Every structure is written in structure tokens, then in C-alpha cells.
Amino acid sequence: MLTYELRKAPGVPLYEALYRHVREDILSGRLPAGTRLPSKRALAENLKVSKITVETAYGQLLSEGYIRSEEKVGYFVEAAVPPAPKPLPPMAPERETPERFLDLTANGPAAFPFSVWSRLQREVMLERGDSLLRPLDNQGCRELRRAIAGHLADFRGMAIDPDNILIGAGTDFLCNLLIQLLGRDRRWAVEEPGYGKIRRIYAAGGVECVGAPMDDQGVIPETLGDAGVLHISPSHHFPTGLVTSAARRLELLKWAESAGSYLIEDDYDSEFRFRARPISALQTMDRQGRVIYMNTFSKSLAPSIRIGYMVLPPELMALYRQKLGFYSCTVPAFEQYTLARFLEEDCFEKHINRMRKFYRARRNRVADALESCGYAGKLTLLERDAGLHFLVKVDTALSDEALMARFREAGVRVRTLGSFYHSAAAAEHFLVVNYSGLDENELYRLNQVRL
Amino acid sequence: MLTYELRKAPGVPLYEALYRHVREDILSGRLPAGTRLPSKRALAENLKVSKITVETAYGQLLSEGYIRSEEKVGYFVEAAVPPAPKPLPPMAPERETPERFLDLTANGPAAFPFSVWSRLQREVMLERGDSLLRPLDNQGCRELRRAIAGHLADFRGMAIDPDNILIGAGTDFLCNLLIQLLGRDRRWAVEEPGYGKIRRIYAAGGVECVGAPMDDQGVIPETLGDAGVLHISPSHHFPTGLVTSAARRLELLKWAESAGSYLIEDDYDSEFRFRARPISALQTMDRQGRVIYMNTFSKSLAPSIRIGYMVLPPELMALYRQKLGFYSCTVPAFEQYTLARFLEEDCFEKHINRMRKFYRARRNRVADALESCGYAGKLTLLERDAGLHFLVKVDTALSDEALMARFREAGVRVRTLGSFYHSAAAAEHFLVVNYSGLDENELYRLNQVRL
């Protein structure tokens, strides 16, 4: 007869202790396959526990497949039993805090309206209650889509029907959705130079991805060949800051119309234009449903907020509903309703205005630091009403690689324009200076670069 | 000379008003292509506005491509100008509230710990502050991964290294990530019958997807052929409630090992097992890195919370980091840190215990309603320790279609087992009764079905 010492331990009920003992005996081979176990009553008496305890332990062993039951005969150890769980591996140590450095490659918001956001979160929960728990409309909640349409009308002069807006967990996700919507048999073109991540997303998504060369008007339509999709940032190209001209926009639209192709307009930091009003969106020029407008709140609120959206032409939205309408929306309901209020109560406009002011001052401090360092004579700042970065031309005989090394030695992280080219050769000696995510206490490092 | 009446309107600065007037004249053809515009000084004097106002308006027209500047000559209307924005379409009416009915197909949480959640959200914001704004570790924040590992140890006896956990915005998203990770050249097998959405996700993701037939032990390994991936729910199959036997689990593992294939263990509602402790996960039996464990908080918290996770074998996690590590995490930081606390402060366990009790009572009320209606004699309730649904066998001569129609006429939404088969023929006359999302006030409708 099986005999175990069943001790009461906090959090471990008796049946669980019994289950573990028997399981261990089975796993260790002390109870070989085919062994008949004592009846529940007999074992309960032997162990001085209730029959229910044994029943529950046997039930657990049965349902996990360690034993089997033969009607009116009894319980037997199974021939093939699952192995025991692995022991818990020791926890890997926390990644260490990185050394301090000046990071001219980082993006990051300088501030966030925590108290307003927190108040809106509480209001949303109190007022919406259980309705927050239901599965969401897969395009995103109507309130947020309406608020975004209002925001696009105010900030970008765009006339958007909220029914054509689709909300998703950031650009990466939305690009992947577009691959499924538009199809993998198209060739996808991305700006060259450009934001390397976009190319990686399309490549990972399984589409053929080619670079689209640019001149000083924007992407050159003649180079697009039989591309079926072109992903561009016409209002503000990264990293050059180039704004695609009106004439070029019309040419690109014409190309898309005649080729049956689509333009993905990535309007990623249109909120931060300091000289004039943001330029009109390409989407407003589209008459034939060839433009997909895309934007996120990563730059304007925080990358970690993970809310992006697309405006699809009506025909594509109909196709989405038919083909992909079974997908769940990827953004939590709490976040969507909170952001909807944030936009509607004009908190967003106030926040953007505050951030614009802040970034303008930050930009000036970074420019001052560059213009006052020992090698300032070798630098030329280039700005084309860019968003949160500018270019710096360095007059040097060093290679780009050696140039980067000099900055690195002084604890400055920076990228050259060349690193944004995938295949074509780039002009040398241009630094791309992102200033939204840096730590101003580290600006002194610029002065320590030996150039 | 251009003459406009520039009126001050709230929110519209003078330069904006001037910009709009000139743009309208260009778009309407009143200012044809090539027309030379007055100098800034001359127009400012004519309109009695400051030169800066004209400068800003011209700058806007320039940057949007309506006019061009020729150095030392002046400003000219461009040949190809962008069309004007479309007028705002009228807002579509809100979708109407649906008629009342008894929905035995809906999933939904019956309650949510709003006040606890709200408190944790506030604490997270107060304590973490700006660190919430930085881009997240792309596997998800460490605190949440550690809390999930703790949860899996407590609830499922699983020994998981948090570094092997990957957090994402729900099952749909995670399945798509797996397609990219494991590759489209594999054949993907899904349970037949099964949760139809999984098949649709894989099909939309561009992989060949086949049904894997099941017997009463689980998926039959011999039918898997050269499948490279098998997506299963061994602890609780939907809709039959079947638990894959231990012997079958070992066979499936062996198949995966010898075929170089992967098993995706979808453990979607293991929290709600009422008879015994949840059965051990297949993942704990895996010694060769063939099992990917997947779960979400959709059932245990709310579908709208949009947090899911996977546990990858170390080799696959290394591959993920190398191949897809550029992706951003899709779940907002606020939500991740809040859930981490919710798990760590044992709020989750309390919530689950409360919900288990609630659902057990709900299940009994639904069963009572069925067992007390006029046609109760024709019904047999079948339960296999299922989660939040059970099967009902109906003794009838009606076709499944006619049977559904009878329920529909009484305002009851229900699905038959047959509707979960993709290709194979199913046994007729089984109803799948989901009870987590129904409105108990509508239970009386069961009595109005004519059977």
C-alpha cells in the first residue's frame, strides 16, 4: 500500500501533496507502468485522509495522463507518462544601466502630460464601465476614430470619414496589415535613402522590397517601374528633411493611377514643423483612391503608447472588411477611449504646442553646443524645416567610419547620412542629429570630440 | 494688385486667411499658371498688413507648391498645382443598438476589477514617471515578463525564464509573428474541428493551412504528414472540450522532434477549469525546444485588454532576436506595467477565483434554464471539464440548419458543432453553448424555442 507523509503546507492542499507524491513515484519509476493503485477508499484509510482528497488527487493524475481508470477494476499507472516539469532556471540578472553618453540617434518624448492622462483614464473607467470590456470594433473604437478625424481636419486640413480610419498598434503592425491587404505579389518600393526599419518590416513580411531613388523634388517616378506600392514620407523625408514638391506629388499620383499602384503616405512627425504650418497631406490630392495615409502618436505622445492609424480609400476599406475583418483591434480599449478624450478636450493641441516650444529651445541648445565647440569651423548646419532632427555637414578628410569613431570615443552616439542608404552610395560627411531623445547634461561631450 | 478683405477670425491668423485667399484664386484659375504675384512689400502695403504676414503666407504657398520663387525676380503661380481638399463628408450615423437577444456565441467577461486596475494605473504613473515613455524592450517590459513567469509557475507549474517570454497585442498578432519567425514554406496544421479564426489568421498570413483530424485522444499524428507546424489546444479543445491524453501528447512531441516541426500550444482558457486543477502544459514535457506556449488575458480579464504572450524555446527566441528584433513591442507601456502589478500583488488570483465562482453559478443557471424548458427531454448536456462553454446534444429529426432557425426565431443565437468543421463532416445536432458573454435577463427565451 502506498504510504506517504502528507503534511499540511501553506498554499498546498492535501490532495495536491498526494498528487505530487504519486506523480513523483511514477516519474521516478518506483511505480512502474501497469501498476495497479489502491482503491480510493483503501488509500484514504491508509493515509488518514478523506476519500475526497484521494479522489481529487486521482482525478488530477487521470486528467494529466499519469494513470488510467478501468471501469469496475481500478486505477493503473499509464505506459507513457509525461516527464516532470523542468526545474526553474535561475533568473537572469537585470540588464545593467548603460553608461552615460550623448545619444543623437534616440527618439523620445521630452515630457508627457501624466496628470491629465491619469484623470482621463479615471473618467473613462468611471463613465464607460462594463462597456469597456466588450470586444472592440476591429477598426478601433468609434470615439477615437471620430476624434482622429477631427484632429486631421484641424491640424492637416483633411476631410476624413471616421469609417475609413483603422486603428492599430503602431506602424510596424499597420505595415504588416497592408501587406495582407494589398498582397504579396506586388513589388514594394521604399525611399532610398530612408528609415531602414520600414524596409525591414516589408522584407520580414515576405514581400519583395526595392529602393526608390530620390532627387531634390522627392522620389523619381521614372525609377518605380512595376512597383505596386510606394511607401513615402512626402511632407518630411527622413533623414534629409526633404519636402516632396507639389509637381512631384502630382506626378506620383499619376503614376499610381496609371500603374494601379498605391502610395502609402507616412506622415510620421508632421506635428513638429517649426517654420510654417505643416504642409498639406498628399491624401488630400488623391481623387482615385490610391493614397493610404498613415500616422502614429509615437512622436507626439510617446513611442510606448503604441497607437497608430491609417486612412484607407473607401474601396480598400471595403476590401479590408471583407478579407481581414475577422482580426481583433490590437489597441486596448482603455487606451483608445483615453486618447479620444485627450484629442477632443484639446489636451493634445496644448501638449503639442508646449512640446514645440520645448523642442525649439532644445534644438537651439544643441545647435549652440555644436557652434561653440572647438571644431565648429568645420561644421555647417542644414535644415529644411525638418522635424526633430537636422543634418550637419562636416568638412573633414576622415572617412565616415573614422568620423563616427571620433564621436564614439567622446561618448557621442550619432549616425551618418550614409547609414540610411540601403544600396546606393551617399554623399559623405553628413551627420544626422536627432535631438528629441538626448540628455542635455551630456551635451558637453560634443566639445570633447577630436576633429 | 491682389486685394482681399482679410478679416480676423478666431483661430485663423491673418497669414492663414491670406494664404487661403491666394490658394483659392490659384485653384479656381483666377490666378493662372505663370502669373507673377506682387512683391511681399507691395502686397503688405496694399492689404495694410505687416510684411511678415505676407511672408508667412507666401512661405506656406511655396512649401505646398502653389507658387515658386525665382531669385531676384519674384513669385510665380506654379504650372501644376495640387487640387483643393475635399469637403468634409457628413458623419455616418452611429450604429444602432442591436435588438435584445440571448447570445450563446458571445465571449465576454462578466466583471472587471475597475477600482483595483485604476489604482494600479495611478501608482504606475506616479512611480515610474518618464521611464514609461521610452521605447519598450521589444519582448515586452521585464516586469511583466517576470510576473507572467511567476503566474505560470503558480497556476501551471511551469518553469519559465522571463527572457523567453514575448508579449504582444493578442493571439492574432502573435500568430502572424510566428509565421514570420517559422517561415511561409512550412505547411501549417490546425485542429479540425476548431476555432475558425486561427485558420483564417494563418491563411491571411499567406501560409498553406490544413486541417488536422482528431480522435478522442487529440490530434492524430499519422494525419500530419509533412506539416511543419501544428497549432493545438491540448488542455482544452474548442469546441469539444477534449483534453489531449498524455500518451498522445508524447506522440505529438515525438512527431515534432522527428519531423523538425513545431507545436503551438494555445492554452487560451486554462484559468477556468472547474473540476480539478488545470492540466499540466504540454510545454513542460518538451525537452527539445519544439513547443511554443501561447496564452492571453482576453478570457481572464477582458478581450479588449489586448495582451497576449508566448513562451519560445531558447533557440527560437535567439532566432526571433536576430530576425525580428527590430520590431517594436505592440502593447502600451502603461498597460504592461499595470498588468505586472496586478499579477504580482495577487489581484489576478483573487479576480480569477471570484470569476470562477461567478461562472460556475452562471453555468448552473444556464443549465437549469435548459433543463426546465418544455423540450428539456430532448436535450443531453455534455461536459468534459470544459472552460466557459458546454455542448448540448439535441434529439431531433431537424437538420442543423432548421434547428438553428428555431432558436433564431426565439431570439437565441447559438452555433452547432458542425459550424466549427472546415471540411470534414461533423456529427449533427450538437449545440455549442458559450455562457460567458450572455445577458441572463434573456435566458427566458430558451423556453420560447419550438422544438
Side-chain angles (χ1 to χ4, degrees):
Chain A
M1 176 68 77
L2 298 174
T3 306
Y4 305 112
E5 217 178 296
L6 298 179
R7 261 175 297 189
K8 275 222 162 180
V12 182
L14 277 183
Y15 75 84
E16 170 78 17
L18 176 57
Y19 153 82
R20 287 187 191 178
H21 280 295
V22 180
R23 189 181 70 168
E24 203 179 300
D25 280 357
I26 294 174
L27 287 168
S28 68
R30 278 192 293 275
L31 286 174
T35 308
R36 182 169 164 182
L37 296 180
S39 76
K40 291 182 278 193
R41 177 185 308 268
L43 186 56
E45 279 171 12
N46 185 43
L47 297 177
K48 312 271 185 287
V49 298
S50 76
K51 199 178 146 210
I52 289 179
T53 298
V54 180
E55 234 169 47
T56 313
Y58 276 19
Q60 186 66 26
L61 291 162
L62 266 174
S63 72
E64 296 196 3
Y66 291 99
I67 62 174
R68 69 193 146 77
S69 151
E70 285 181 22
E71 216 171 339
K72 296 192 182 161
V73 182
Y75 295 92
F76 298 85
V77 175
E78 266 284 12
V81 299
K86 286 163 277 189
L88 193 67
M91 192 75 113
E94 292 272 359
R95 271 162 223 168
E96 282 173 33
T97 333
E99 268 184 281
R100 300 188 69 80
F101 52 84
L102 176 66
D103 195 348
L104 301 178
T105 68
N107 293 310
F112 187 83
F114 283 113
S115 62
V116 175
W117 193 263
S118 185
R119 170 176 65 78
L120 295 176
Q121 276 185 329
R122 281 197 307 277
E123 286 177 16
V124 162
M125 282 209 191
L126 276 172
E127 291 170 27
R128 302 205 73 89
D130 285 350
S131 74
L132 285 169
L133 308 177
R134 284 196 283 270
L136 283 163
D137 182 314
N138 82 335
Q139 286 178 227
C141 82
R142 199 179 156 76
E143 286 76 359
L144 178 55
R145 287 187 280 119
R146 193 155 47 192
I148 287 174
H151 164 69
L152 290 175
D154 292 349
F155 271 65
R156 303 293 271 130
M158 291 166 72
I160 303 297
D161 181 342
D163 282 346
N164 292 329
I165 294 178
L166 196 156
I167 290 160
T171 305
D172 307 8
F173 173 78
L174 293 173
C175 288
N176 270 299
L177 213 52
L178 284 178
I179 294 175
Q180 297 192 9
L181 186 63
L182 305 180
R184 285 196 180 75
D185 43 343
R186 292 171 184 268
R187 187 195 291 252
W188 294 56
V190 296
E191 291 161 329
E192 168 89 336
Y195 183 44
K197 191 176 179 187
I198 294 294
R199 182 187 279 266
R200 297 180 78 175
I201 292 169
Y202 288 130
V207 299
E208 191 193 350
C209 192
V210 295
M214 306 177 71
D215 60 19
D216 62 353
Q217 301 289 303
V219 164
I220 308 165
E222 290 73 27
T223 67
L224 292 171
D226 62 349
V229 185
L230 170 64
H231 185 122
I232 45 172
S233 43
S235 297
H236 175 214
H237 175 254
F238 185 83
T240 66
L242 179 77
V243 176
T244 301
S245 71
R248 183 57 59 81
R249 286 168 189 234
L250 286 177
E251 284 176 56
L252 288 170
L253 270 177
K254 257 180 222 147
W255 164 78
E257 286 164 10
S258 66
S261 301
Y262 289 99
L263 300 169
I264 300 173
E265 177 177 24
D266 190 342
D267 203 31
Y268 72 102
D269 73 352
S270 54
E271 294 85 3
F272 295 110
R273 320 271 303 166
F274 299 132
R275 301 225 184 119
R277 215 181 54 147
I279 196 160
S280 293
L282 181 59
Q283 195 273 350
T284 61
M285 300 167 62
D286 179 27
R287 288 289 173 282
Q288 305 212 18
R290 311 316 302 177
V291 175
I292 295 159
Y293 178 91
M294 186 186 281
N295 209 339
T296 79
F297 293 91
S298 294
K299 289 264 181 179
S300 49
L301 281 168
S304 62
I305 203 110
R306 292 287 93 203
I307 307 186
Y309 60 93
M310 298 195 284
V311 181
L312 294 181
E315 297 72 25
L316 279 185
M317 188 52 96
L319 182 67
Y320 170 83
R321 289 193 193 113
Q322 175 213 320
K323 206 173 148 185
L324 302 172
F326 64 89
Y327 275 130
S328 307
C329 182
T330 41
V331 180
F334 296 163
E335 232 77 12
Q336 291 197 42
Y337 285 105
T338 305
L339 178 57
R341 285 195 179 211
F342 191 75
L343 290 167
E344 275 174 352
E345 296 187 6
D346 293 333
C347 310
F348 186 72
E349 194 169 345
K350 279 181 209 153
H351 173 66
I352 288 296
N353 288 339
R354 207 162 34 232
M355 295 311 289
R356 276 207 197 107
K357 214 164 137 183
F358 176 88
Y359 283 133
R360 201 180 288 120
R362 158 83 58 94
R363 181 223 153 271
N364 292 340
R365 284 192 291 272
V366 176
D368 285 352
L370 283 166
E371 282 162 354
S372 66
C373 64
Y375 51 92
K378 298 182 179 176
L379 306 180
T380 315
L381 268 61
L382 301 161
E383 276 178 296
R384 273 170 156 159
D385 193 11
L388 303 176
H389 72 278
F390 53 79
L391 298 186
V392 177
K393 174 92 177 81
V394 187
D395 180 16
T396 177
L398 295 172
S399 71
D400 267 15
E401 213 173 313
L403 186 62
M404 302 255 273
R406 295 285 172 91
F407 279 88
R408 211 165 36 236
E409 284 158 17
V412 180
R413 277 196 194 163
V414 68
R415 291 180 70 180
T416 61
L417 187 54
S419 70
F420 294 95
Y421 281 82
H422 186 74
S423 50
E428 279 193 303
H429 305 150
F430 284 92
L431 305 177
V432 180
V433 176
N434 278 290
Y435 53 83
S436 68
L438 59 78
D439 177 351
E440 292 192 25
N441 294 320
E442 306 295 324
L443 276 175
Y444 73 91
R445 293 182 184 275
L446 285 173
N447 210 24
Q448 298 182 344
V449 179
R450 290 176 307 108
L451 266 191
Chain B
M1 176 67 79
L2 299 173
T3 304
Y4 305 111
E5 216 179 297
L6 299 178
R7 261 174 299 189
K8 275 224 164 181
V12 181
L14 277 184
Y15 74 82
E16 170 80 17
L18 176 57
Y19 154 81
R20 286 186 190 176
H21 278 296
V22 180
R23 188 181 70 168
E24 203 179 301
D25 280 357
I26 293 174
L27 287 168
S28 67
R30 279 193 293 274
L31 286 174
T35 307
R36 181 170 167 179
L37 297 180
S39 76
K40 291 181 278 193
R41 178 186 305 267
L43 186 57
E45 279 172 12
N46 186 43
L47 298 177
K48 311 272 184 290
V49 297
S50 76
K51 199 177 143 208
I52 289 178
T53 299
V54 180
E55 235 168 48
T56 313
Y58 276 19
Q60 186 65 28
L61 291 163
L62 267 173
S63 72
E64 295 196 1
Y66 290 100
I67 62 174
R68 67 193 147 80
S69 149
E70 286 182 19
E71 217 171 335
K72 297 196 179 155
V73 183
Y75 296 92
F76 296 86
V77 175
E78 266 282 12
V81 299
K86 286 163 280 189
L88 193 69
M91 193 76 113
E94 292 274 359
R95 271 164 221 165
E96 281 173 34
T97 333
E99 267 185 283
R100 300 186 71 81
F101 51 84
L102 176 67
D103 195 349
L104 300 178
T105 69
N107 293 309
F112 187 83
F114 283 112
S115 62
V116 175
W117 194 262
S118 185
R119 170 176 66 79
L120 295 175
Q121 277 184 328
R122 279 197 308 276
E123 286 177 15
V124 162
M125 283 209 191
L126 275 170
E127 291 169 28
R128 302 204 74 88
D130 284 350
S131 74
L132 285 169
L133 308 177
R134 283 195 284 269
L136 285 163
D137 182 314
N138 82 334
Q139 285 179 228
C141 82
R142 199 179 157 78
E143 286 77 358
L144 178 55
R145 287 187 282 119
R146 191 154 48 193
I148 287 173
H151 163 71
L152 290 174
D154 293 348
F155 270 66
R156 303 293 270 128
M158 292 167 72
I160 302 297
D161 182 343
D163 282 345
N164 292 330
I165 294 178
L166 195 156
I167 289 159
T171 305
D172 306 8
F173 173 79
L174 293 172
C175 288
N176 269 299
L177 213 52
L178 284 178
I179 294 176
Q180 298 192 9
L181 185 64
L182 305 179
R184 285 195 180 75
D185 43 344
R186 291 171 185 270
R187 189 194 290 252
W188 294 56
V190 296
E191 291 161 329
E192 168 88 335
Y195 183 44
K197 191 175 179 185
I198 295 294
R199 181 189 279 265
R200 298 180 76 176
I201 292 171
Y202 289 130
V207 298
E208 192 193 350
C209 192
V210 295
M214 306 178 69
D215 60 19
D216 63 352
Q217 301 289 303
V219 164
I220 308 165
E222 290 72 27
T223 66
L224 292 171
D226 61 350
V229 184
L230 170 63
H231 184 123
I232 45 173
S233 43
S235 296
H236 174 216
H237 175 253
F238 185 82
T240 65
L242 178 78
V243 176
T244 300
S245 71
R248 182 57 59 81
R249 286 169 189 233
L250 285 177
E251 283 176 56
L252 287 170
L253 269 177
K254 256 180 223 147
W255 164 78
E257 287 164 10
S258 67
S261 301
Y262 289 98
L263 299 171
I264 300 173
E265 177 177 25
D266 190 342
D267 204 30
Y268 73 101
D269 73 352
S270 54
E271 294 85 2
F272 296 109
R273 320 272 301 165
F274 299 131
R275 300 226 185 119
R277 214 182 54 145
I279 196 162
S280 293
L282 181 59
Q283 195 274 349
T284 61
M285 301 166 62
D286 179 28
R287 286 290 175 280
Q288 305 212 19
R290 311 315 303 177
V291 175
I292 296 158
Y293 177 90
M294 187 186 280
N295 208 339
T296 79
F297 293 91
S298 293
K299 288 263 183 183
S300 49
L301 280 170
S304 62
I305 204 111
R306 293 286 93 203
I307 307 187
Y309 60 92
M310 299 194 285
V311 181
L312 294 181
E315 298 71 25
L316 278 187
M317 188 53 95
L319 183 66
Y320 170 82
R321 288 193 193 113
Q322 174 214 321
K323 206 173 148 185
L324 303 173
F326 65 89
Y327 276 130
S328 307
C329 183
T330 40
V331 180
F334 296 164
E335 231 78 11
Q336 291 197 41
Y337 285 106
T338 305
L339 178 57
R341 284 195 178 210
F342 191 76
L343 290 167
E344 275 174 353
E345 294 187 6
D346 293 333
C347 310
F348 186 72
E349 194 168 347
K350 279 180 211 154
H351 173 67
I352 288 296
N353 289 338
R354 205 160 37 228
M355 295 310 290
R356 275 207 198 104
K357 215 164 138 185
F358 176 88
Y359 284 131
R360 201 180 288 118
R362 156 82 60 91
R363 182 225 151 270
N364 293 339
R365 284 191 292 272
V366 176
D368 286 352
L370 283 165
E371 282 162 354
S372 65
C373 63
Y375 52 92
K378 299 182 178 175
L379 306 180
T380 316
L381 269 59
L382 300 162
E383 276 177 299
R384 274 172 154 158
D385 192 11
L388 304 176
H389 72 276
F390 53 79
L391 298 186
V392 177
K393 175 94 176 79
V394 187
D395 180 16
T396 176
L398 294 171
S399 70
D400 268 15
E401 212 173 315
L403 186 61
M404 302 256 273
R406 294 285 173 92
F407 280 89
R408 214 166 32 238
E409 284 157 17
V412 180
R413 277 195 193 164
V414 67
R415 292 180 68 179
T416 60
L417 186 56
S419 70
F420 295 94
Y421 281 82
H422 185 74
S423 49
E428 279 193 304
H429 305 150
F430 285 92
L431 305 177
V432 180
V433 175
N434 277 290
Y435 54 84
S436 68
L438 60 77
D439 176 353
E440 292 191 25
N441 294 321
E442 306 296 324
L443 276 174
Y444 73 92
R445 293 181 183 275
L446 285 172
N447 210 24
Q448 299 183 343
V449 179
R450 291 175 305 111
L451 266 190

